[in-house]
Amino acid sequence: MIRPTRRADTDADFTRRRLAQLAVLGLAAGASPAALPGTASAAVPSSTTAPPAAPSSVKASSAGRAHYDRARRLAADDPVLRALVTALTPGSVLPPLPAPAPVKLFDNLVLLSAGWVSAMAVLTDDGIVLIDALTSPADAEGVVVPGLRAVGADPAAIRHVVVTHGHPDHFGGAQTLADRYGARVHMSPADWDLLARTRPADAPVRDLDIADGAQLTLGGTTIELHHTPGHTPGTVSPVIPVRAGGRYHSAMLWGGLNPPSTVAELRTLLASVHSFRAVMRRTNVEVELSNHPNDHGLERAEQLRRQPPGAANPFLLGGPRTQRYMAVMDAMVRGRIADAEAAEAAGAGTGAASHSCRGVRT
């Protein structure tokens, strides 16, 4: 039992609307996996509505079924793990989700969400480290800045923006925050190179490279940054110390979930799952976070917002459960590999379809 931060005053009407929408979408705890859709899209002009999801280029086959079945058995009736299974099931689709009000998940960690994509603000004694920057300059100005103020934090204290990967829904607001507050923008070298090749709108100016295993320290808080390529060539997954009621816990945030298309890329993703799982063991990770609603996260945020101080934090899963989360991911990626191998053997191939933030919750 831990003591989360007392929730800030929020609009009660919003909470009721949010819970009703989740119930309608079948996303409340206890919904069956088939009722938990799972696709998010990239680069939207509005912070509250994602565009229609692109169809997945990977088709489920008998080759992958044994792995998917194993993942479902591992997930059992755990709503967090079941959401992950659904997110990685070929063909899953995520309906538009409403943007929740900002909320402190832990005393030093704030969820700033546009609904289908979220950023995390790590509060330290010497400023703020922002993990991802949402979709656009409009999100920086309309979600990040007022969201921080709503929980009593000063957006001018943003010192660093860590971009988990080079897709527009994660870097879109970074340059705005850098220009306004002097924040330094961090990304892996491979994904800085990705932006240089693709030249997307609102891309930040190349600033600081993230080395694999780098440690970013601010105000006595040290965040580990690990390369987990697969979703993009340079996806980064942080390990963050979070505090609740005077106790610290180690949190992970998987940087990019949507699987790539080719067998080689999928095997790279699987290797990242294995390496990061070892990091999680070493750092005693007990908290799971995501930058997309692929983990029952928005539902847990609303649970946290409603519950009284002193209740168990729904994001504190414990070590065995976070390891099982990665085991589920492992099984689902193995299923994707089997499907891709079967398609290649049949002569269909998987092509070079985009796997940005479309086709599955990323």
Side-chain angles (χ1 to χ4, degrees):
M1 187 73 69
I2 62 171
R3 183 175 299 277
T5 302
R6 182 180 295 274
R7 64 180 177 86
D9 291 337
T10 59
D11 187 339
D13 291 335
F14 168 85
T15 300
R16 286 194 292 271
R17 289 197 305 272
R18 170 64 180 152
L19 294 173
Q21 287 164 322
L22 291 175
V24 169
L25 294 174
L27 292 174
S32 68
L36 292 169
T39 302
S41 306
V44 297
S46 166
S47 65
T48 58
T49 304
S56 173
S57 62
V58 179
K59 303 297 184 183
S61 71
S62 58
R65 187 172 302 139
H67 298 288
Y68 300 143
D69 288 346
R70 178 174 180 271
R72 292 186 182 97
R73 289 193 298 271
L74 284 168
D77 61 354
D78 187 318
V80 176
L81 276 58
R82 287 166 59 182
L84 178 63
V85 170
T86 303
L88 287 170
T89 296
S92 294
V93 176
L94 174 69
L97 295 175
V103 59
K104 280 190 174 183
L105 303 184
F106 292 87
D107 294 350
N108 64 331
L109 186 73
V110 181
L111 172 70
L112 302 165
S113 183
W116 64 279
V117 63
S118 299
M120 301 283 175
V122 184
L123 311 181
T124 82
D125 294 337
D126 288 342
I128 297 170
V129 179
L130 188 68
I131 309 295
D132 285 339
L134 302 181
T135 72
S136 63
D139 273 354
E141 296 172 352
V143 179
V144 174
V145 170
L148 287 170
R149 288 176 177 151
V151 297
D154 183 0
I158 298 173
R159 300 286 181 260
H160 301 277
V161 179
V162 173
V163 180
T164 58
H165 62 273
H167 287 156
D169 51 330
H170 300 273
F171 66 66
Q175 192 60 48
T176 296
L177 299 170
D179 292 342
R180 181 174 296 183
Y181 302 122
R184 305 301 301 271
V185 180
H186 306 245
M187 199 182 309
S188 70
D191 277 17
W192 280 123
D193 292 346
L194 175 65
L195 298 194
R197 293 194 304 271
T198 57
R199 298 181 181 275
D202 300 321
V205 175
R206 187 163 187 160
D207 191 1
L208 298 176
D209 288 355
I210 299 174
D212 187 19
Q215 295 186 341
L216 174 60
T217 299
L218 183 68
T221 298
T222 297
I223 302 170
E224 291 190 10
L225 303 170
H226 297 274
H227 289 189
T228 52
H231 180 63
T232 65
T235 298
V236 169
S237 295
V239 175
I240 308 163
V242 295
R243 186 181 71 252
R247 296 186 60 189
Y248 277 90
H249 304 277
S250 186
M252 59 78 86
L253 190 156
W254 185 253
L257 188 64
N258 191 12
S261 300
T262 69
V263 172
E265 290 173 315
L266 285 162
R267 291 195 178 281
T268 296
L269 177 60
L270 185 62
S272 293
V273 171
H274 293 170
S275 63
F276 193 64
R277 193 175 180 187
V279 168
M280 289 169 58
R281 290 192 190 99
R282 174 179 60 77
T283 56
N284 191 30
V285 164
E286 299 178 286
V287 175
E288 179 275 330
L289 306 167
S290 180
N291 47 25
H292 282 283
N294 48 36
D295 65 341
H296 205 66
L298 296 188
E299 295 84 348
R300 286 186 283 161
E302 291 305 324
Q303 176 186 341
L304 182 61
R305 194 194 307 276
R306 300 191 315 270
Q307 70 188 25
N313 189 312
F315 287 88
L316 182 58
L317 305 186
R321 197 170 164 202
T322 57
Q323 283 293 314
R324 197 160 81 251
Y325 183 93
M326 298 303 291
V328 168
M329 192 185 300
D330 179 290
M332 293 301 294
V333 173
R334 288 179 186 274
R336 289 292 192 120
I337 292 172
D339 287 344
E341 289 175 336
E344 289 187 0
T350 55
S354 169
H355 60 276
S356 61
C357 288
R358 294 181 178 271
V360 74
R361 298 177 183 180
T362 55

